Amino acid sequence: MLASGQAAMRVLGIDTASPRPELALVEASDAPGAREAVAALPPAAAEALPEALSSLLSSNGLRVSHLARVAVLSGPGSFTGLRAGIAFARGLARALGVPLVTVPTFEAARAALDPGQGPVDLFLGAGRGEVYRCRARPDADARAFDRLPRHDAAAEAAEAGVPTIDLAEVRLALASAAARLAAGGASGGDEGPAYGRRSAAEERFGT
Amino acid sequence: MELVLGIESSCDETSVALVRGDGTILSSVVSSQVATHGRYGGVVPEIAARAHLTNLPGLLDAALAEGGVPLGDVSLVAATAGPGLVGALLVGLSEAKGIAFGLGVPFVPVHHIEAHALSPFLSPAGGAARAVPERFLALAISGGHTHVFRYAPEGISCLARTRDDAAGEAFDKVAKMSGLGYPGGPVVDRLARLGRRTGPFPVPQFKDGSRDLSFSGLKTAVRERLLALGLEPRTGVLAARELRGEESLPAPLLDLLADFQEAVVAQVEDRLTRLHEDGPIPLLTVSGGVAANGLLRERLEAWGRRRGVEVLLAPRALTGDNAAMIAFAGLVRHRSGAPHEGFAAPARSRWPLPELPPLRGTALQ
């Protein structure tokens, strides 16, 4: 439960794009261990969003007007889920007059890793036997990713001696991580979704 | 007074509009993707959905600026929930729900065809909308639909529908075969006026006496006549350079287009006449893309005068997909008090209009 005092700022995190969609409310503060509340979303995450948000707010004694920021995953992820999450977040932030923060999926995932976790390659299913991959390079941009066949990605990780985490298999609490990044001052609301892949028609026609 | 924000994203037009509680349109802005999809020979759902997401914020800004009102004044939000492309619908639907949730105002999911059916009650000149009566018939005629619906307090029913192609589809296919490009409606409307009607096509009838419509036979007949004229019917996606120059079109092709257009209009008149004989039509609305066709408009107005039926044509500017009609339909549904799914409404690819509860005492008087 979050305290419903007036002083603390709350940030909403929305993940409708990953294999484990969630909503998170984070009480933003500089202190580590800020409290948070999380609600899992069903697979048809887009349609469940408003009611899930409604019950998450009310069960924490909050109203929508208590939201000071809205964070949403910007991709990669399910095309439809990304768009629905971004559109809802954008509309919500605009109506509330608060900042919208788009957070790349892998940036949220890195932030969500256990602090004791060593280097790890992150995978997110991209369909057609491929994965989006964010490589374990401490110096690299956390949002950088590429797309390649899953077995190639696995082979390269094995060769480098780096373990892998598939976001479909391990829950990394991406919505909370996105909200915490946004609460911590991350900004950026104009970044369109990083789809990671053109539409099938464009790929076929080579346009 | 109420202020309704409407959002439409069911196919390849993104639109945002503001409509006042009396049905006055304050603003309605539309962004079309026709050029984007042209090279693929049809609307590509994933490309459409991406374009909706990109286009929406700018359209919302433009609609608010044109309407001269802040977003905070909006008291009701409506968006198309179906039928349409699910990925495309979800963009407008989600943004609309986000806005309504943030403003703390009701959200109304709108049926796209109902919005068309009600659009003729909107004023073309920027005034208040007409009251929506309890009973009326709606001809929805477009590239996707050719249906006659009956609105009554007992419920909404479908009295007639095309059994194959929609009328607008016939216009598109005939234009394509004739080398006139896409979309076919405006170009056929313009060129058919230059031709003379020389050989009428028959109005199809069903043996079971059904009032349903059919346009696929007409399409085949046009194809055969093109061949007889020595004009090879075009197929596939036309590049701009393949389009026939309008200035050099042979007179027999113009005549053929005139006969085709006449056949479409004659069939619609025939079905409306028989429906009127089945039971007097209290009022008829005509909406959808084909309702922009000049000949159809003239003839249905004349038909109404002859039969003593009030015919309301959708304002030309509102015959295509637009959010003004979405906002208005949302307002009418909200006023009627008919139950709806609100924020829980899913995007639906298929959504028969008669599944909606009837409108009761909706009048915007």
Side-chain angles (χ1 to χ4, degrees):
Chain A
M1 287 285 280
L2 301 178
S4 60
Q6 293 301 309
M9 146 180 165
R10 276 86 182 180
V11 180
L12 173 67
I14 298 177
D15 165 16
T16 52
S18 83
R20 293 161 179 268
E22 286 180 343
L23 278 182
L25 275 176
V26 167
E27 184 180 314
S29 76
D30 294 338
R35 285 169 295 182
E36 62 179 51
V38 175
L41 291 168
E47 274 132 24
L49 252 182
E51 299 205 345
L53 175 56
S54 200
S55 57
L56 184 61
L57 286 168
S58 62
S59 65
N60 287 284
L62 295 169
R63 287 194 307 275
V64 68
S65 55
H66 288 117
L67 298 178
R69 223 163 241 228
V70 180
V72 64
L73 294 189
S74 63
S78 139
F79 293 170
T80 297
L82 276 176
R83 280 190 290 267
I86 290 171
F88 183 84
R90 201 163 69 179
L92 183 63
R94 175 143 190 180
L96 291 170
V98 303
L100 170 71
V101 181
T102 57
V103 179
T105 305
F106 287 120
E107 190 176 346
R110 291 269 172 224
L113 289 171
D114 186 314
Q117 170 75 50
V120 60
D121 279 3
L122 299 173
F123 293 173
L124 174 62
R128 292 181 243 169
E130 295 183 321
V131 291
Y132 301 115
R133 173 185 64 172
C134 177
R135 297 213 78 174
R137 281 181 302 228
D139 54 328
D141 184 349
R143 60 187 68 193
F145 68 92
D146 56 4
R147 191 185 82 228
L148 72 171
R150 182 181 287 273
H151 58 82
D152 292 353
E156 287 179 25
E159 198 178 308
V162 168
T164 66
I165 290 179
D166 186 321
L167 301 191
E169 287 158 16
V170 178
R171 175 181 172 267
L172 281 181
L174 300 179
S176 305
R180 274 185 271 110
L181 285 167
S187 60
D190 293 330
E191 290 173 56
Y195 289 110
R197 189 193 270 289
R198 290 183 302 167
S199 71
E202 288 168 302
E203 287 188 340
R204 197 174 318 120
F205 283 79
T207 46
Chain B
M1 189 183 277
E2 271 168 314
L3 179 65
V4 192
L5 171 70
I7 296 182
E8 155 69 26
S9 70
S10 64
C11 190
D12 61 346
E13 325 268 1
T14 324
S15 179
V16 180
L18 288 165
V19 168
R20 245 176 21 200
D22 63 356
T24 302
I25 301 170
L26 295 184
S27 60
S28 182
V29 292
V30 183
S31 164
S32 172
Q33 306 169 18
V34 167
T36 313
H37 298 284
R39 72 177 76 170
Y40 304 105
V43 177
V44 181
E46 177 64 21
I47 295 177
R50 291 183 181 198
H52 288 309
L53 189 70
T54 305
N55 294 341
L56 256 181
L59 291 171
L60 180 57
D61 289 341
L64 290 167
E66 203 178 296
V69 286
L71 184 62
D73 284 3
V74 167
S75 59
L76 185 70
V77 180
T80 312
L85 304 169
V86 167
L89 285 164
L90 263 176
V91 175
L93 190 61
S94 299
E95 187 128 357
K97 286 178 182 176
I99 292 170
F101 199 101
L103 293 176
V105 302
F107 171 76
V108 186
V110 169
H111 190 290
H112 184 83
I113 304 305
E114 172 160 283
H116 274 297
L118 297 175
S119 65
F121 294 108
L122 286 162
S123 163
R130 280 186 48 150
V132 177
E134 283 197 320
R135 293 177 188 276
F136 64 97
L137 261 54
L139 167 66
I141 183 164
S142 67
H145 284 76
T146 307
H147 287 54
V148 180
F149 295 103
R150 175 170 56 204
Y151 272 75
E154 310 84 76
I156 304 167
S157 49
C158 179
L159 300 184
R161 60 185 302 165
T162 178
R163 291 201 181 172
D164 38 62
D165 293 345
E169 220 176 330
F171 273 92
D172 286 341
K173 287 176 178 172
V174 164
K176 187 171 170 181
M177 282 192 272
S178 307
L180 300 172
Y182 174 90
V187 65
V188 171
D189 190 1
R190 191 168 65 246
L191 296 176
R193 286 172 181 278
L194 305 176
R196 292 167 307 126
R197 298 206 287 268
T198 54
F201 292 105
V203 170
Q205 301 293 348
F206 290 104
K207 285 193 182 119
D208 60 6
S210 160
R211 276 66 175 128
D212 281 352
L213 299 100
S214 168
F215 296 101
S216 68
L218 176 59
K219 182 185 64 189
T220 308
V222 167
R223 183 184 180 79
E224 282 163 7
R225 207 177 285 179
L226 274 173
L227 285 168
L229 291 171
L231 299 168
E232 186 62 28
R234 306 297 176 98
T235 54
V237 180
L238 282 167
R241 64 187 150 71
E242 292 179 273
L243 296 178
R244 293 193 169 114
E246 287 184 20
E247 60 291 342
S248 60
L249 289 174
L253 179 58
L254 299 177
D255 296 347
L256 172 56
L257 295 175
D259 284 330
F260 160 74
Q261 184 163 270
E262 169 63 25
V264 172
V265 172
Q267 186 182 166
V268 171
E269 279 177 332
D270 172 73
R271 298 312 199 263
L272 291 173
T273 299
R274 292 165 62 202
L275 287 169
H276 186 55
E277 287 163 2
D278 293 345
I281 298 175
L283 180 150
L284 175 73
T285 71
V286 183
S287 61
V290 183
N293 181 274
L295 185 69
L296 186 80
R297 294 177 81 88
E298 290 162 22
R299 291 274 288 278
L300 291 188
E301 278 192 321
W303 177 89
R305 281 195 298 274
R306 255 190 344 265
R307 301 275 166 179
V309 176
E310 185 173 11
V311 175
L312 283 184
L313 302 170
R316 272 182 200 271
L318 300 180
T319 52
D321 289 349
N322 66 86
M325 69 179 191
I326 302 302
F328 181 63
L331 176 67
V332 170
R333 278 272 154 204
H334 183 69
R335 289 271 178 83
S336 89
H340 61 74
E341 294 162 294
F343 282 102
R348 290 185 163 94
S349 60
R350 194 182 155 277
W351 191 9
L353 183 56
E355 286 181 5
L356 262 67
L359 291 171
R360 297 160 308 190
T362 57
L364 292 171
Q365 281 117 352

